[in-house]
Amino acid sequence: MATKRISDEPAYVLHRYDWSESSLILEVFTRHHGRMAVVAKGVKRPSSSFRPILLPLQLLHIAFGGDAEIRSLKGAEWMGGHVMPGGDALLSGYYLNELVMTLLARDDPHPRLFDIYACVVEVLASVHGEALQPALRAFELLLLREIGLLPMLDAQTMTLMGLVESQRYSLRPEGGLQQSGSDDRASLTGAQWQLLQQSIAPTAPFTVTLRACADVLPELKSQLRGLLNYHCGVGTLRTRQMMMDLQTL
């Protein structure tokens, strides 16, 4: 039986592992096939045409084949567009990749999330450093919504009661959106949560989500951190811990 071959598939490299002296296994995020693993044979040889192409945060078009869990990479073409991010932007890109690898199952397509990821990568590669943190928060929100781990942000989760615009609410990993206690300083008002819900509607452009996140950045970051750590099953993601360590130094 002939193995299926896919060509011209948009993809980003998320991570790479040594497979042999000359080959790598790549975790890639593809638009139509989701997260998947491919083996790039001979890619570590100096003569390999793939060697300078298979980099993270760069849009590729790849060809692959096979029916096993790990497919065989048949071709890869760099689509250009921007240079590799550096500094905080590069670490932020690795953080995006860790989120995708941790929360997305293999072979589960999310084409809209792929397009959002591509938008965030463009922000990381741009000179607009002030958009970096809003872009990360926007991606976190949209990722959680895409995989069904984000409750509705315009009603209290347990009671389904509407939000009072002036009241403050918190996003709890096990209880969803609920009224805040007096000691919760990272909460948002009902009006702010409602605007965030509108900004992540399926028809809303990414720029709308970006602006909504920028308006509530410190509080939203704290709210999402607990939710992500809970669903990722860790106290702190490795890339986030690395960023905090570097800031301390």
Side-chain angles (χ1 to χ4, degrees):
M1 177 173 151
T3 59
K4 185 177 181 181
R5 180 183 173 116
I6 303 295
S7 300
D8 204 29
E9 173 64 19
Y12 287 92
V13 174
L14 299 173
H15 196 57
R16 46 196 277 172
Y17 311 91
D18 288 329
W19 187 57
S20 68
E21 290 186 1
S22 62
S23 303
L24 293 171
I25 291 178
L26 305 174
E27 288 278 355
V28 296
F29 185 25
T30 68
R31 191 175 193 276
H32 301 103
H33 302 271
R35 182 173 74 87
M36 57 188 301
V38 297
V39 58
K41 297 180 180 178
V43 72
K44 292 196 287 185
R45 297 191 184 111
S47 59
S48 172
S49 60
F50 291 167
R51 188 171 182 175
I53 293 175
L54 299 175
L55 300 172
L57 308 176
Q58 300 292 313
L59 179 60
L60 309 174
H61 278 193
I62 64 172
F64 59 90
D67 298 319
E69 181 179 359
I70 299 177
R71 279 80 157 188
S72 295
L73 184 69
K74 303 296 185 182
E77 180 182 1
W78 180 55
M79 302 309 295
H82 60 76
V83 298
M84 179 72 76
D88 289 344
L90 179 59
L91 285 175
S92 297
Y94 289 149
Y95 170 67
L96 288 184
N97 291 351
E98 186 178 4
L99 282 179
V100 171
M101 288 184 59
T102 304
L103 292 174
L104 289 191
R106 280 184 178 171
D107 301 311
D108 184 15
H110 291 276
R112 185 166 186 270
L113 186 64
F114 180 92
D115 294 341
I116 293 164
Y117 177 97
C119 289
V120 178
V121 169
E122 288 186 14
V123 173
L124 299 184
S126 74
V127 296
H128 304 294
E130 70 280 359
L132 179 58
Q133 289 298 317
L136 293 179
R137 304 294 81 78
F139 183 79
E140 291 168 348
L141 270 177
L142 293 165
L143 169 62
L144 288 166
R145 188 210 59 188
E146 180 76 13
I147 59 179
L149 296 179
L150 185 72
M152 297 296 292
L153 302 179
D154 55 2
Q156 297 184 60
T157 304
M158 302 300 291
T159 65
L160 301 182
M161 293 178 61
L163 306 183
V164 178
E165 290 191 355
S166 59
Q167 181 60 258
R168 303 193 74 85
Y169 300 88
S170 299
L171 191 58
R172 307 293 187 187
E174 295 183 342
L177 197 62
Q178 56 189 242
Q179 191 169 325
S180 301
S182 57
D183 59 340
D184 192 344
R185 299 180 180 178
S187 58
L188 299 174
T189 66
Q192 290 170 327
W193 283 119
Q194 289 167 344
L195 285 174
L196 284 170
Q197 178 63 39
Q198 295 170 15
S199 79
I200 61 173
T203 56
F206 179 71
T207 52
V208 172
T209 316
L210 199 64
R211 287 194 295 268
C213 291
D215 290 339
V216 291
L217 198 55
E219 297 84 359
L220 183 61
K221 181 177 182 178
S222 177
Q223 295 284 302
L224 291 177
R225 181 179 300 168
L227 190 59
L228 286 165
N229 288 346
Y230 176 82
H231 288 299
C232 290
V234 296
T236 304
L237 290 162
R238 288 180 297 172
T239 44
R240 180 179 283 157
Q241 184 62 54
M242 186 185 303
M243 286 188 278
M244 289 189 297
D245 291 344
L246 288 173
Q247 289 171 354
T248 301
L249 290 174

